[in-house]
Amino acid sequence: MNLKKLALAAAVAALAVPAMAQSQVTVYGRVDLSLAQQGDAADNKEMRNGSGSRLGFRGVEDLGGDLKAFFQIEHRFNANDGDISSAAFWHGKSLVGLQGGFGRVWLGRDETPAYVLGQTVADPWGTDTVAGNADIVRGGIGKQRYSSSVNYAYSMSGISFGAQFAEADKNASGDSEDRPYSFGLGYKAGALQLGFGYENPSDKDDNWLTLYAGYNFGVAKVGAFFGTGNDTNDNKRQAYLLSAAAPLAGGEFRASYGQLKNKDAAANGILRKQFGVGYHYPLSKRTTVYVDLVNKKRDNQNPANEKTGYDLGIKHNF
């Protein structure tokens, strides 16, 4: 009887292998919490999600002939209390598409190519933690994600290109009926990395163009970022960010300094000026402990706000 059961199990397994090879689904996520005080904020020492805790599912199905179908859905939540971090349940991503020799085409909610290829690469913190430079690299104009979007991406020989067009009425575009759009271009070869982004969120005439260049000298990776564009009131904005990341005692030391200015304001009004340093140490391939410190200043800053922020946290990816 045992031999018959063993033979049957082997036969079922043999039949299942081709099906499993055709389709794969991965469960992934992150839990990241820190004890923190935000910079340029009221005195409120609290437990925070350092880089956005998440739970996601992604999958690929081989359709044959170099054609594959793929999907991804990603939920964001506050790990400190288990609450949803956004009104949208699949806030991080919710998309489906096809990929092949032509590149990747997909529909749904996803990050903009300008953010991925031209902005977040310039920030040593990837716009995460209290020291992240989202206000600088997005200029208060660019968006991180669009819903109801059509996307295309292609990569070859170190060059990556992305384009995105989205529905206006699904992305808080005010009274404009123009569709938001975003383009990104990246290049990476050896120690050199370049990034370009351009987007129009469709609110009147606002737009944001960014350029980034970084080089890894081995002892440290240094980078320079520049952004320019117009806000919804047609005010000219400019931003720059200088960054460095260096291996140190098994971990990574990070530093950045940036400014965002309103060029049309008297005396070039400073919308944001910040300096940050941090140290991130991997306990394993999945678990990292970190500490960050940031100082934020701006025009008309509330004198009651804490200018200096910090966090001490632990992040686990799975």
Side-chain angles (χ1 to χ4, degrees):
M1 183 64 69
N2 289 337
L3 290 176
K4 290 183 179 180
K5 289 183 178 180
L6 183 60
L8 179 61
V12 171
L15 292 173
V17 168
M20 292 176 63
Q22 298 295 316
S23 182
Q24 297 178 345
V25 176
T26 301
V27 180
Y28 70 95
R30 174 183 299 172
V31 180
D32 186 353
L33 286 173
S34 65
L35 302 177
Q37 165 66 52
Q38 294 187 74
D40 188 23
D43 184 0
N44 183 26
K45 301 173 181 61
E46 59 183 345
M47 186 174 294
R48 290 178 51 81
N49 284 259
S51 61
S53 297
R54 64 201 68 178
L55 174 65
F57 303 84
R58 55 176 172 249
V60 177
E61 181 185 14
D62 191 341
L63 302 175
D66 196 35
L67 184 65
K68 296 179 180 179
F70 65 91
F71 83 93
Q72 187 172 2
I73 50 178
E74 185 177 290
H75 170 59
R76 296 297 181 96
F77 63 95
N78 298 321
N80 57 305
D81 59 11
D83 198 7
I84 298 175
S85 61
S86 169
F89 189 84
W90 300 113
H91 174 70
K93 295 175 183 287
S94 55
L95 57 93
V96 63
L98 296 172
Q99 66 185 45
F102 55 85
R104 292 163 55 92
V105 178
W106 68 99
L107 308 175
R109 176 176 173 80
D110 202 0
E111 295 170 326
T112 73
Y115 173 77
V116 173
L117 297 174
Q119 298 169 13
T120 187
V121 293
D123 185 358
W125 287 271
T127 71
D128 290 332
T129 80
V130 299
N133 291 279
D135 293 335
I136 305 292
V137 298
R138 298 212 304 261
I141 300 172
K143 308 298 182 183
Q144 184 173 351
R145 302 177 181 86
Y146 284 127
S147 300
S148 298
S149 65
V150 179
N151 302 264
Y152 174 74
Y154 186 80
S155 298
M156 180 183 66
S157 301
I159 299 175
S160 298
F161 170 77
Q164 183 184 64
F165 298 86
E167 290 186 24
D169 59 354
K170 295 292 186 179
N171 293 283
S173 56
D175 58 1
S176 172
E177 294 185 1
D178 294 334
R179 297 180 183 275
Y181 60 85
S182 174
F183 297 97
L185 182 65
Y187 175 74
K188 191 170 185 180
L192 177 66
Q193 184 173 7
L194 304 174
F196 164 84
Y198 180 80
E199 61 186 300
N200 184 338
S202 83
D203 281 313
K204 300 179 181 178
D205 295 320
D206 55 340
N207 57 83
W208 189 238
L209 181 149
T210 62
L211 300 169
Y212 168 73
Y215 194 86
N216 193 337
F217 292 92
V219 294
K221 179 181 179 181
V222 297
F225 166 92
F226 175 75
T228 183
N230 289 40
D231 63 16
T232 55
N233 296 317
D234 204 27
N235 291 318
K236 184 74 171 181
R237 291 190 179 187
Q238 284 188 354
Y240 71 84
L241 180 71
L242 302 176
S243 63
L248 178 65
E252 183 180 68
F253 171 79
R254 304 175 180 181
S256 67
Y257 176 79
Q259 285 192 12
L260 173 64
K261 292 184 177 182
N262 182 352
K263 299 294 290 184
D264 290 332
N268 291 336
I270 297 176
L271 300 174
R272 174 71 66 197
K273 177 166 58 176
Q274 69 180 67
F275 169 73
V277 294
Y279 182 69
H280 289 223
Y281 184 83
L283 298 175
S284 70
K285 291 183 178 180
R286 296 178 178 270
T287 304
T288 300
V289 291
Y290 59 88
V291 58
D292 300 302
L293 185 70
V294 66
N295 183 269
K296 293 186 175 183
K297 297 179 182 178
R298 58 183 170 86
D299 284 354
N300 303 316
Q301 189 170 26
N302 187 339
N305 281 0
E306 294 289 328
K307 295 183 179 64
T308 300
Y310 61 84
D311 59 16
L312 175 62
I314 180 170
K315 172 175 66 178
H316 178 78
N317 294 316
F318 62 89

